[in-house]
Amino acid sequence: MSVPLILTLLAGGATFIGALLGVLGQKPSNRLLAFSLGFAAGIMLLISLMEMLPAALGEEGMSPVLGYGMFIVGLLGYFALDRLLPHAHPQDLIDPPPAHASRNLRRTALLLTLGISLHNFPEGIATYVTASTNLELGFGIALAVALHNIPEGLAVAGPVYAATGSRRKAVIWAGLSGMAEILGGVLAWLILGTMVSPVVMAAIMAAVAGIMVALSVDELMPLAKEIDPHNNPSYGVLCGMSVMGLSLTLLQTSGLSG
């Protein structure tokens, strides 16, 4: 099994961590949840804008029109999909729902599972494509995706557990949303393989960069602010950028970069 595919599996599997935290009653604090979302956004923004997009534009045979065009396609594609899907709301991560709302909770859990699964599918593709192109960037994206998959696991497991009283069902439902990410990575592995030309792979990477930027500014940062309105999510973003930038610099100066 290839390393990019393993990274995708691990990132998708992080959803189970959130699910287990949700059903075991050991939820992380709102401040920690918000910081982790900001941290993930910082990693994604730095990698997308400082590494992935420049690398795509620098590929031999890649025109600026195609490169920036695919970046915009990724941005607009994410926003279009995002408007059509149900979302995880902060109260699903924070407040235990009332016990009498079982039917509504089942519907909420179903919509959340569907929506998060559809969000996760392109993230699996993004993780695989990035790691296939540059392994060190793939590690960064996998870490960022895993960090924000933990709150998603919480968001799904909470309503399911409240509605059914079953820890097993809560973990399974949350796991399904993570499996969509793994499915995206497997699909990318099967379709892309080694048959794609460098220019096409660079174009895909530019689109992935657009998706990651849109995900960061439209979902991760606003959600972090809603979960913990008393603290600025920018601190997490700056920390994520700093840690990722430092790690990339160390890898490059040590000669370990791909």
Side-chain angles (χ1 to χ4, degrees):
M1 186 180 293
S2 67
V3 174
L5 190 57
I6 292 174
L7 288 176
T8 306
L9 294 174
L10 292 175
T15 308
F16 285 100
I17 298 176
L20 290 172
L21 290 174
V23 300
L24 295 177
Q26 301 295 320
K27 292 184 180 180
S29 67
N30 296 347
R31 175 175 290 187
L32 180 59
L33 273 177
F35 182 84
S36 69
L37 290 171
F39 192 87
I43 291 175
M44 288 187 180
L45 286 171
L46 183 130
I47 289 178
S48 299
L49 297 176
M50 300 300 293
E51 297 285 342
M52 293 174 66
L53 184 58
L57 293 170
E59 180 64 43
E60 185 177 355
M62 168 65 75
S63 71
V65 173
L66 177 59
Y68 285 116
M70 289 301 293
F71 178 77
I72 293 172
V73 166
L75 282 173
L76 297 180
Y78 175 86
F79 283 122
L81 182 64
D82 186 64
R83 296 301 175 264
L84 299 175
L85 299 177
H87 288 71
H89 299 289
Q91 59 266 30
D92 298 317
L93 306 177
I94 301 168
D95 301 324
H100 65 271
S102 177
R103 179 176 297 181
N104 289 336
L105 284 173
R106 287 176 184 271
R107 181 177 181 276
T108 298
L110 180 61
L111 288 174
L112 278 171
T113 303
L114 175 63
I116 290 175
S117 296
L118 292 173
H119 276 294
N120 283 348
F121 185 79
E123 290 173 11
I125 297 175
T127 303
Y128 180 84
V129 169
T130 306
S132 297
T133 307
N134 187 310
L135 194 55
E136 69 189 47
L137 299 185
F139 275 108
I141 289 295
L143 173 62
V145 169
L147 283 173
H148 101 268
N149 277 349
I150 293 174
E152 287 183 351
L154 274 169
V156 174
V160 175
Y161 184 39
T164 66
S166 170
R167 289 186 172 90
R168 182 174 61 87
K169 288 182 179 179
V171 172
I172 289 174
W173 279 49
L176 287 176
S177 65
M179 288 298 295
E181 192 162 297
I182 295 172
L183 180 61
V186 171
L187 185 64
W189 174 59
L190 292 174
I191 293 177
L192 297 180
T194 58
M195 299 182 295
V196 179
S197 71
V199 172
V200 172
M201 184 62 81
I204 294 173
M205 188 162 64
V208 167
I211 292 172
M212 294 291 100
V213 170
L215 172 65
S216 299
V217 300
D218 185 59
E219 181 160 331
L220 299 187
M221 293 171 66
L223 185 57
K225 184 63 177 177
E226 290 183 68
I227 290 175
D228 186 15
H230 304 297
N231 289 285
N232 193 334
S234 299
Y235 299 137
V237 174
L238 292 174
C239 285
M241 285 184 165
S242 300
V243 170
M244 197 67 238
L246 178 61
S247 65
L248 289 174
T249 300
L250 291 175
L251 283 171
Q252 290 165 0
T253 55
S254 65
L256 297 177
S257 59

